Amino acid sequence: MCGIIGCVSEKDCYGALYDGLKRLEYRGYDSAGIAVLGEKLEIFKKKGGVANLSAFYARGGTGIGHTRWATHGAPSDTNAHPHRAGKIALVHNGIVENYASLKEELEEEGERFRSETDSEVLAKLVARAYRGDLLAAVREALSRAEGSYAVAVIAEDRPGELVAAKYKSPLVAGKGAAGLFVCSDVPALAGAADYIAQAEDGEFVRIAGGEIFFYDKELRPLPKTFFRPQRELCALSVAGGGYFMRAEIGEIPRALRDTLGLLKQTDFAPCARVLRGAKRVFAVACGTAYHSALVFADVAEREAGVPVICHTAGEFRYRPPLIGEGELLIAVSQSGETADTLEAARLAKARGAYVVAVTNIGCSSLAALADFCIVMGAGAEIAVAATKSYNCQLLCLYYLAAQLLFFKEQRYPDWFYALDDLCSAAERAFSCFAEADALADGLKSARAIYYLGRGLDLCTAKEGALKVKEIACVFAEGYPAGELKHGSLALVEEGFPVVCVSTSRALAKKSENALAEVKSRGGFCALFSQYGDVLEDSCADFKCLLPALPEALMPAVSVIPLQYFAYKMCIERGFDPDKPRNLAKSVTVE
C-alpha cells in the first residue's frame, strides 16, 4: 500500500521524485522520504506527508522515493523509507512475511537495525550481497524473502544505475523527457513519462546507460513493449485547490458517460459461452467494490435466474473450494491491484474457473490475469474513499448482468434501455446536495449512525455507512431494515440518527415500519426516495427526493447524496476527506 518511485535523469531528479510522491500520496501518508545520489548519497525522510520534504533538496540525477502506509513499526522519521545499509539505499512496498527470522539471523551475525520495519531487512540483505553488481545483489537478497514486494534500489558507487523488482506488488517503468523511471502506479508518472511498460511477478528492472532493461528471475533479458498510458489516468489536478473527493463526486456524470461509451464498444462474444452456460456465478471484491458486487448479485439473480455467490475476496481464499472447472468468477477492483482480489482470481483460475475482471485500470495486474476484462472509464481517482469508481463499477456490472440474460435468453432486461439516462440522473442528484449539507450540519456531532435498506437499497445503505466510517470517523453500519428489531434497535435512544434508503415501491411500507420503530424510541430519521408519495407519507424528520429511474438502476444514483453527505460530515468534523485516518487507496498487501 506504500508508494515507490525511482528516477535516473541527466538533470537533478529531486523535483521529479517529489512530484511523483505527491501523486502517489494516496497510497500512504504516514511518512515520506527521498534518497538522491550525487557527489554522495543523501537521504531525507520525515514523519507525515510528502509536503514535509519540500524543505529539503539534493543535487544528483539518480534517486528513489517512498510514501508510507505503516505496517511494521509506527509512523516515525526512523521507520520512514528509504532505508540505508552500507552503500545501499532501498524503498519497498509490500510485506516481508519472514522478516522476523531473517532479522534474528542478521542480528546474530552482528547487524544492528535502526528501524522497526520489515523493509530494513531487505536493505541489509542487499548490502551484504553487493559486490559491485547491483542487479545480482538484489536478486540474491530477494531470493530469501517471503511475501510480497516492489523494491527500488540504488548504490552509492553506481551513479546512473537503479534496480527494481516486483512480486505481488505493482511496478511499472516509464521513460520521457524528464528521465527514466520506475513507479508503483501509472498516474504518478503523469507529465514525466510518455511511455510505460509493466513488470510482471518475478521480473527485475535495471536502468543504466540511459536505457531500461527487463530481466526474468534468472536474470535473462526480456523483451518489453512500451505503450502510451491512458490520458485520463494522468488528469490529477483539482480546480481551485479543493479536495479530490469533492471533485470526483462532481465527475460522476462524465465518468458514467465515458464508461457507457466503452461498454457499448466492448465485444462480449469471447465470454458468451461461459455466460450462457453458467449454472452459478461467484463474485469477489473488497470494500466499496464488494458493495457493487452485492448489487450485481441481486440484479443477476432476478433477471437471469442464476445464483450469484458473493464473498469478500480475503475470505474467498480460505473457504471450501466450491468453485471449479467452467464456472464463472467476477473480480471487481478499482485499481486492479487489490492483493486479496488478485489472489482470489488466481485461485479461481487454478481451479479451472473463467475470470471476468471489472477494473478502472486496463493495464493492471487483475486485467492481465483475467480471461476477460471490462474496463470502466472513471479516470484517475485520487481520494482514498471511492466515489465515481463505485458508480462506474455498478454500470459495468449492470451491463454484464444484461449480457448474462441476453446470452441465456436472447433478450435484454427492460432497464437495460434506461442505462443512457443514468448520466443525466446523476447530474440531477446534485440537487440533493443542499439538503445533504443541512443533514450533515445537524448530525456532525453524532457518535454513530445506522443506515437502513431492503433489497438493493441495503447495498446502498452499506456503502453509505462505509463512506461515513472511512472519512468522517463516525461509527456507522448498514443494516437490513427488517433486522433492526433483532438486536440493533437496542442502541436507539433519543436523537439517535438513522438514515433510510427506500427506492423499491414494493418494500417501501416495510422500510417505513422500521422508521416508525426508530421514531417511537426518540430516534432521528432521514429518508431518501425517488417516490414523492413515499416521502409524504413517511414519519421521517428529514426527507430527500431522488431522481427517478427504474428501480434496478437506483443504486447508481441514490448513493450520490450519501457520498456527498459523508464528504460534508468529514469537513464539518475537521478531517481531510482525501486522506482518511489509517487508510490508503490501493490495498496491495493482504
Side-chain angles (χ1 to χ4, degrees):
M1 291 164 66
C2 306
I4 70 170
I5 187 169
C7 176
V8 175
S9 174
E10 294 181 356
K11 306 174 183 178
D12 288 344
C13 66
Y14 194 94
L17 292 171
Y18 179 84
D19 291 344
L21 289 180
K22 289 296 290 182
R23 296 188 183 99
L24 275 175
E25 198 166 16
Y26 58 86
R27 280 181 162 269
Y29 31 86
D30 295 333
S31 59
I34 290 175
V36 172
L37 177 55
E39 293 183 0
K40 61 179 181 178
L41 180 60
E42 297 184 76
I43 297 178
F44 307 103
K45 53 183 187 175
K46 296 288 292 182
K47 177 183 176 181
V50 174
N52 289 338
L53 301 179
S54 62
F56 303 102
Y57 191 82
R59 294 194 176 280
T62 303
I64 53 178
H66 188 272
T67 183
R68 184 172 185 244
W69 185 85
T71 54
H72 296 78
S76 69
D77 292 357
T78 303
N79 288 333
H81 298 217
H83 292 290
R84 180 168 186 173
K87 297 179 179 180
I88 299 299
L90 173 146
V91 291
H92 169 229
N93 172 35
I95 291 180
V96 183
E97 293 177 354
N98 62 331
Y99 89 99
S101 60
L102 291 172
K103 184 175 182 179
E104 182 179 357
E105 175 188 321
L106 291 169
E107 287 177 328
E108 289 175 355
E109 295 176 0
E111 295 285 356
R112 295 293 176 263
F113 287 80
R114 290 174 51 81
S115 77
E116 304 167 277
T117 69
D118 56 334
S119 306
E120 190 179 2
V121 169
L122 295 180
K124 298 284 190 185
L125 289 174
V126 175
R128 289 166 72 90
Y130 181 60
R131 303 172 192 86
D133 187 335
L134 187 57
L135 180 62
V138 172
R139 178 180 179 271
E140 181 179 334
L142 293 179
S143 69
R144 304 199 60 198
E146 298 172 6
S148 62
Y149 57 77
V151 299
V153 189
I154 57 177
E156 191 171 30
D157 58 350
R158 301 291 294 180
E161 182 175 4
L162 182 152
V163 172
K166 164 195 167 22
Y167 183 70
K168 294 186 177 180
S169 285
L171 182 72
V172 298
K175 51 188 177 182
L180 306 177
F181 297 87
V182 293
C183 190
S184 298
D185 272 338
V186 174
L189 298 182
D194 300 316
Y195 296 91
I196 64 170
Q198 287 179 278
E200 303 296 335
D201 281 351
E203 292 182 355
F204 295 82
V205 181
R206 178 172 176 258
I207 300 176
E211 298 289 340
I212 301 177
F213 305 95
F214 283 80
Y215 303 87
D216 67 12
K217 61 184 179 181
E218 304 300 330
L219 299 189
R220 294 174 295 213
L222 289 172
K224 282 286 179 177
T225 300
F226 283 75
F227 59 92
R228 284 189 177 274
Q230 297 168 256
R231 175 181 292 181
E232 60 270 22
L233 293 181
C234 299
L236 305 182
S237 61
V238 180
Y243 291 107
F244 280 110
M245 184 177 179
R246 179 63 185 90
E248 287 159 7
I249 292 172
E251 289 176 5
I252 290 172
R254 189 278 309 158
L256 289 170
R257 191 173 297 111
D258 289 354
T259 297
L260 187 58
L262 291 172
L263 289 168
K264 289 179 176 180
Q265 297 171 21
T266 300
D267 180 10
F268 286 85
C271 59
R273 180 184 59 81
V274 178
L275 294 179
R276 186 182 300 115
K279 297 292 188 292
R280 61 181 180 175
V281 177
F282 292 81
V284 295
C286 300
T288 286
Y290 177 67
H291 297 151
S292 72
L294 292 176
V295 173
F296 170 77
D298 189 295
V299 171
E301 287 181 344
R302 289 173 188 271
E303 297 295 345
V306 178
V308 180
I309 303 165
C310 281
H311 290 298
T312 55
E315 292 300 312
F316 177 81
R317 299 171 58 199
Y318 303 107
R319 296 180 66 86
L322 296 176
I323 196 166
E325 186 76 30
E327 294 191 299
L328 177 61
L329 179 91
I330 313 298
V332 189
S333 167
Q334 186 280 140
S335 67
E337 303 294 348
T338 308
D340 285 322
T341 306
L342 276 168
E343 290 304 313
R346 289 190 182 103
L347 176 63
K349 286 204 73 170
R351 291 178 176 160
Y354 187 93
V355 175
V356 173
V358 177
T359 181
N360 195 32
I361 313 295
C363 57
S364 63
S365 300
L366 182 61
L369 173 68
D371 298 291
F372 188 83
C373 185
I374 302 172
V375 181
M376 52 189 174
E381 186 176 68
I382 303 306
V384 169
T387 52
K388 62 178 179 175
S389 66
Y390 177 71
N391 305 75
C392 291
Q393 283 168 359
L394 289 176
L395 177 52
C396 290
L397 291 168
Y398 284 135
Y399 217 88
L400 181 60
Q403 299 302 319
L404 187 64
L405 177 63
F406 176 79
F407 286 119
K408 281 184 172 295
E409 301 183 14
Q410 288 70 59
R411 66 181 180 87
Y412 288 113
D414 293 340
W415 50 256
F416 180 75
Y417 304 98
L419 287 176
D420 285 316
D421 299 331
L422 263 182
C423 309
S424 59
E427 288 178 339
R428 295 197 303 276
F430 294 172
S431 65
C432 299
F433 288 177
E435 293 161 282
D437 281 336
L439 183 62
D441 184 63
L443 299 184
K444 62 187 176 185
S445 299
R447 297 177 59 188
I449 304 175
Y450 282 163
Y451 284 73
L452 303 181
R454 284 179 174 266
L456 287 171
D457 292 330
L458 175 59
C459 309
T460 305
K462 288 179 178 292
E463 176 59 14
L466 177 61
K467 285 291 159 285
V468 167
K469 279 189 286 194
E470 283 180 311
I471 63 171
C473 298
V474 175
F475 177 80
E477 281 298 322
Y479 285 109
E483 282 292 297
L484 191 64
K485 54 185 169 290
H486 294 288
S488 305
L489 196 59
L491 296 185
V492 174
E493 57 188 358
E494 190 70 31
F496 189 99
V498 173
V499 175
C500 181
V501 184
S502 180
T503 68
S504 166
R505 185 169 288 284
L507 296 172
K509 290 184 178 179
K510 302 293 185 183
S511 296
E512 181 61 25
N513 290 342
L515 292 184
E517 293 166 358
V518 171
K519 284 287 290 182
S520 67
R521 287 155 180 83
F524 173 89
C525 297
L527 178 62
F528 292 80
S529 179
Q530 82 274 37
Y531 295 120
D533 58 317
V534 169
L535 293 172
E536 185 177 342
D537 295 341
S538 176
C539 65
D541 304 283
F542 169 93
K543 302 174 184 180
C544 181
L545 182 64
L546 300 168
L549 277 173
E551 289 181 357
L553 303 184
M554 283 303 297
V557 173
S558 59
V559 74
I560 295 174
L562 302 186
Q563 292 168 334
Y564 178 83
F565 168 72
Y567 162 80
K568 197 66 179 180
M569 281 282 283
C570 176
I571 298 298
E572 292 279 1
R573 291 168 61 84
F575 297 112
D576 183 341
D578 292 342
K579 301 173 184 178
R581 187 171 65 198
N582 301 332
L583 300 177
K585 181 73 174 175
S586 186
V587 186
T588 57
V589 297
E590 296 180 46

